[in-house]
Amino acid sequence: MKFAVKAWSNCKARTGCIQLGNCPTAIDTPALLLSTCKGLPNFISPDLLPSLPSPDSHLLQFSPLHFLEGPSLKAISSIGGLQHLLGLHEYVFAAVARDSVQCLPECNASNKFGASFETTCGRRLIRPVEYVELISSMRPDIWASLADEVPSWVSDKRNKTSVDRTVRWLDECIKLNSTGGAIFGAIVGGNDMEERQRCALEVVKRNVSGYWIGGFGLGESIDERPALLDAVTDVLPEELPRMICGLGLPEEILQGIAAGVDLFDSAYIYHLTLGGFALTFPLNGIAEKRPDTHLNDDASDRTKINLRATLYRKDTSPILEGCNCYACLNHTKAYINHLLNVHEMLAQILLEIHNTHHYLGFFRSIREAIKAGKFQQYHQKFVEGRRNHLALPAAAITHDELIK
């Protein structure tokens, strides 16, 4: 793995490039890791992956726990790992135990032996040795060490224990590692800045290729998150990449980038797509004034539209004017509305293509702002624009509704 920082804004936000695996070109950061189920996006088939912007879409994140059922580890290893199994030789795979959709951390069932997860095949306790066996057979380009993630409301004692376990498991993962992949040391600490900093300082002492910041998206408020992020990134070396899970909304992505994070997961796109929503927010953060009739039938909050709404039954315009994704160039709101209402999976395929394309464009606009030295202005303008236009006439929209 090769990583280099290319430009800094007038804060900790930075752009860089990362070269991994067989990806033909370096990928610019900050970047989006496409969430997958067993290595493939939830609704986009391999033949449609090239329709997404390249090489921005060549970063795929998966959870090794997805493979607790299915092909045996020996079979996957004999094929040559996940890239050969899926035939995606020019894509980069990043493995993280936690999957914000299917493999959720269960702190009450974790113990000194391993981390517990709620998975599609039940609750599973994963020990470091089992986790490294999964990694060794799949051979990802990047993998995060096993972490004991806890939500924001646990006791100080439990939080401290999670840090001690995570550091100890990192040592075990490093000792057991026999892959050629880059290991990212996991950093946790819940809502305690001192514990997060203690964990980061311990992980920095280890021989790792980067850092995976865990424990976010588990109950902390958006207002207290910047201080928690800064407590970690302030002590991390600048020359190594930082990856994070649990930040999905545009405002959360901007918070992470402002703290110096380079790689983000995309479970937010999955939730939007499953709910029939399409992203429409302007990439420059300046929302256009639209008549309130556009909000009929809960169809829009001026950041996304609900294509299940009757408002779009006869709408022959594309999802978003000016968007050049496959869905917008070839189909209309009316067609996707029809597909959603008759429960055709093609609706989710087209929506995931559009939402992924739009979010990759969002990251591209952020990189451009950092290179121009205007990230802070971009961040402020984007958040103010969203704050002014997110509220519906009847009531404020909640975080849960945003990712419904």
Side-chain angles (χ1 to χ4, degrees):
M1 182 192 79
K2 296 180 181 178
F3 175 77
V5 177
K6 296 296 185 182
W8 296 85
S9 188
N10 45 2
C11 60
K12 292 195 292 183
R14 62 194 199 165
T15 63
C17 65
I18 188 167
Q19 179 74 61
L20 280 159
N22 297 318
C23 188
T25 59
I27 299 172
D28 292 334
T29 62
L32 185 68
L33 293 157
L34 304 190
S35 296
T36 69
C37 179
K38 296 189 177 179
L40 287 171
N42 288 275
F43 302 110
I44 302 176
S45 58
D47 60 310
L48 289 175
L49 277 174
S51 70
L52 298 174
S54 179
D56 301 34
S57 60
H58 282 238
L59 283 170
L60 304 178
Q61 178 179 306
F62 74 98
S63 170
L65 276 60
H66 290 172
F67 294 86
L68 293 173
E69 292 185 338
S72 68
L73 298 184
K74 185 177 180 181
I76 297 174
S77 182
S78 65
I79 291 170
L82 199 57
Q83 283 177 323
H84 290 277
L85 177 68
L86 300 174
L88 298 177
H89 304 291
E90 295 186 350
Y91 285 76
V92 172
F93 284 87
V96 177
R98 167 186 171 182
D99 170 4
S100 299
V101 176
Q102 295 188 41
C103 303
L104 301 173
E106 177 46 68
C107 70
N108 293 327
S110 297
N111 56 41
K112 63 180 180 180
F113 300 109
S116 181
F117 297 88
E118 292 287 354
T119 74
T120 54
C121 51
R123 183 179 295 175
R124 299 293 293 265
L125 183 72
I126 306 297
R127 295 173 171 83
V129 63
E130 296 166 335
Y131 181 65
V132 175
E133 284 177 1
L134 288 165
I135 295 295
S136 298
S137 65
M138 293 167 202
R139 306 177 196 176
D141 301 284
I142 296 172
W143 61 283
S145 62
L146 192 64
D148 183 19
E149 293 187 88
V150 296
S152 60
W153 54 83
V154 299
S155 66
D156 292 342
K157 180 180 179 181
R158 177 66 181 89
N159 193 29
K160 182 179 183 300
T161 299
S162 77
V163 171
D164 295 336
R165 287 175 181 169
T166 298
V167 173
R168 185 170 70 251
W169 294 344
L170 171 59
D171 289 333
E172 292 186 47
C173 287
I174 293 173
K175 182 179 178 181
L176 294 166
N177 182 26
S178 61
T179 73
I183 181 170
F184 278 38
I187 298 171
V188 295
N191 260 26
D192 190 316
M193 286 190 291
E194 291 183 0
E195 285 300 311
R196 281 200 171 271
Q197 198 161 60
R198 179 172 75 90
C199 188
L201 288 169
E202 286 296 324
V203 174
V204 165
K205 298 175 185 176
R206 273 68 178 175
N207 182 24
V208 295
S209 301
Y211 305 97
W212 179 75
I213 305 172
F216 283 101
L218 298 177
E220 79 283 356
S221 74
I222 196 168
D223 293 327
E224 62 190 350
R225 190 178 295 130
L228 295 170
L229 285 167
D230 287 337
V232 173
T233 57
D234 282 347
V235 300
L236 298 181
E238 296 177 351
E239 66 273 13
L240 296 181
R242 300 95 175 252
M243 181 167 61
I244 196 168
C245 284
L247 306 187
L249 298 175
E251 294 88 344
E252 295 175 330
I253 297 294
L254 289 167
Q255 281 187 332
I257 291 172
V261 178
D262 304 296
L263 301 168
F264 298 80
D265 74 355
S266 61
Y268 175 57
I269 291 175
Y270 169 79
H271 289 295
L272 285 172
T273 300
L274 199 64
F277 289 95
L279 289 171
T280 58
F281 67 85
L283 299 181
N284 63 4
I286 303 175
E288 297 177 0
K289 179 63 178 176
R290 286 180 280 181
D292 288 341
T293 54
H294 188 76
L295 305 179
N296 289 344
D297 298 328
D298 296 326
S300 170
D301 60 16
R302 295 190 175 99
T303 64
K304 65 184 186 297
I305 56 175
N306 176 8
L307 286 174
R308 295 183 188 275
T310 56
L311 177 67
Y312 301 112
R313 186 173 293 172
K314 297 181 180 181
D315 192 330
T316 57
S317 64
I319 297 172
L320 183 62
E321 294 289 349
C323 178
N324 61 354
C325 76
Y326 174 85
C328 288
L329 291 177
N330 294 279
H331 299 290
T332 65
K333 295 188 186 83
Y335 181 56
I336 298 175
N337 173 271
H338 161 71
L339 293 173
L340 286 166
N341 288 324
V342 297
H343 308 291
E344 283 285 351
M345 195 176 76
L346 180 56
Q348 276 76 35
I349 293 172
L350 296 175
L351 281 174
E352 187 170 41
I353 288 173
H354 169 77
N355 288 333
T356 303
H357 191 282
H358 194 73
Y359 229 39
L360 290 173
F362 174 54
F363 274 80
R364 185 169 57 253
S365 67
I366 293 172
R367 292 194 296 267
E368 290 170 355
I370 296 173
K371 291 174 184 176
K374 297 180 179 180
F375 174 75
Q376 285 182 316
Q377 297 94 311
Y378 179 95
H379 188 179
Q380 183 179 359
K381 182 174 65 174
F382 193 97
V383 171
E384 288 178 354
R386 293 265 287 177
R387 185 183 297 124
N388 292 338
H389 296 283
L390 265 175
L392 291 171
I397 195 161
T398 67
H399 176 274
D400 291 338
E401 288 170 327
L402 278 169
I403 63 170
K404 189 185 292 180

